[in-house]
Amino acid sequence: MKGKNRKQNLSDAREVDGSYDQLTDSTEDDFELSTVCYRPEGLDKLQEQTKFTKKELQVLYRGFKNECPSGVVNEETFKLIYSQFFPQGDSSTYAHFLFEAFDTDKNGSISFEDFVMGLSIILRGTINDRLNWAFNLYDLNKDGCITKEEMMAIMKSIYDMMGKCTSPCMQDDTHREHVESFFQKMDRNSDGVVTIEEFIESCQKDENIMRSMQLFDNVI
């Protein structure tokens, strides 16, 4: 009976995973299927929830599963993967903030759904969608506003990630100057915090920010 149940579970897993594997027409063996601890939602459902095509989701899933065979990624693995893109600096703190933004249900791991939902907003969302996502990244304690301390932490983590290879070379207090500049523009009522409304309004009036948002339009 146990053997029969196991075969049924493997069959069900193949059926779920098969929609993602159509791109390469490959199927995993029983051992690999038995070691995968998490399966994503159906492809059609994710296509409805994101702005990716079925083929794009298949490609993204292949890449995600190659890096995370278990089907989910924890923070330490996420940091390790992210550090490969920034070998010249220390990306661990920024990767932590980014992980928190992707881990929307706060369970300490990022599933394929979490990943593509966030990626869909960043790459295919409206300007408002992207700005809301960015605000959530900066709002570290998720209380609905950004303090100077929170923005300082994000800025410092970005400079740490870029390392000493930036040109021109950044001074130790550069991130402080940038934060002060941002707050002068965004904190409209000078109450010491930036709300989502102030953040979106200020960003929409900044041509450089708007241009940077458009750079993501054709990434995939």
Side-chain angles (χ1 to χ4, degrees):
M1 181 62 71
K2 288 183 179 179
K4 184 176 180 181
N5 288 340
R6 181 175 181 277
K7 287 182 180 179
Q8 182 61 47
N9 289 338
L10 292 174
S11 175
D12 293 343
R14 277 202 183 94
E15 184 177 349
V16 175
D17 204 43
S19 61
Y20 292 90
D21 291 335
Q22 291 166 4
L23 192 64
T24 57
D25 293 321
S26 66
T27 57
E28 298 87 349
D29 58 26
D30 285 359
F31 174 76
E32 182 182 350
L33 281 167
S34 66
T35 59
V36 174
C37 66
Y38 178 85
R39 290 282 163 183
E41 295 180 4
L43 185 61
D44 291 337
K45 186 174 182 180
L46 277 180
Q47 192 176 354
E48 291 175 3
Q49 294 174 333
T50 67
K51 296 186 179 181
F52 293 125
T53 65
K54 186 174 290 187
K55 189 171 183 178
E56 287 170 339
L57 285 169
Q58 289 168 334
V59 172
L60 288 168
Y61 180 63
R62 275 291 173 200
F64 186 88
K65 198 167 66 169
N66 283 342
E67 293 290 345
C68 315
S70 67
V72 294
V73 57
N74 61 27
E75 184 171 341
E76 290 308 308
T77 303
F78 185 83
K79 287 179 178 179
L80 183 62
I81 295 170
Y82 207 77
S83 68
Q84 297 172 23
F85 297 98
F86 300 95
Q88 76 278 16
D90 178 5
S91 63
S92 60
T93 304
Y94 185 75
H96 165 72
F97 296 145
L98 203 57
F99 182 90
E100 291 284 303
F102 273 101
D103 180 20
T104 53
D105 52 9
K106 306 305 174 192
N107 65 354
S109 63
I110 298 174
S111 66
F112 181 65
E113 290 93 336
D114 294 332
F115 175 66
V116 293
M117 294 289 279
L119 204 61
S120 177
I121 293 173
I122 296 168
L123 301 182
R124 301 285 170 81
T126 64
I127 292 297
N128 265 19
D129 289 338
R130 297 179 195 186
L131 290 176
N132 270 285
W133 196 92
F135 181 88
N136 181 63
L137 175 65
Y138 280 90
D139 181 15
L140 299 180
N141 65 359
K142 314 306 177 195
D143 66 348
C145 60
I146 301 172
T147 64
K148 282 187 180 181
E149 290 74 21
E150 287 175 322
M151 190 169 283
M152 197 88 71
I154 290 282
M155 286 294 183
K156 186 177 185 307
S157 73
I158 292 173
Y159 292 150
D160 289 344
M161 178 174 65
M162 299 309 294
K164 304 297 182 181
C165 300
T166 54
S167 180
C169 184
M170 293 181 183
Q171 304 299 317
D172 290 341
D173 60 348
T174 303
H175 64 282
R176 295 180 184 277
E177 295 174 4
H178 282 186
V179 169
E180 290 296 334
S181 175
F182 275 127
F183 258 75
Q184 284 180 9
K185 293 178 182 178
M186 294 185 178
D187 186 11
R188 302 282 180 174
N189 60 358
S190 302
D191 63 350
V193 297
V194 173
T195 64
I196 181 66
E197 293 79 13
E198 289 174 324
F199 182 82
I200 290 177
E201 182 183 352
S202 298
C203 288
Q204 287 177 335
K205 292 179 178 179
D206 190 308
E207 292 182 4
N208 291 327
I209 293 177
M210 288 299 97
R211 277 197 296 269
S212 68
M213 290 281 174
Q214 293 166 359
L215 292 176
F216 292 108
D217 287 348
N218 299 306
V219 170
I220 295 182

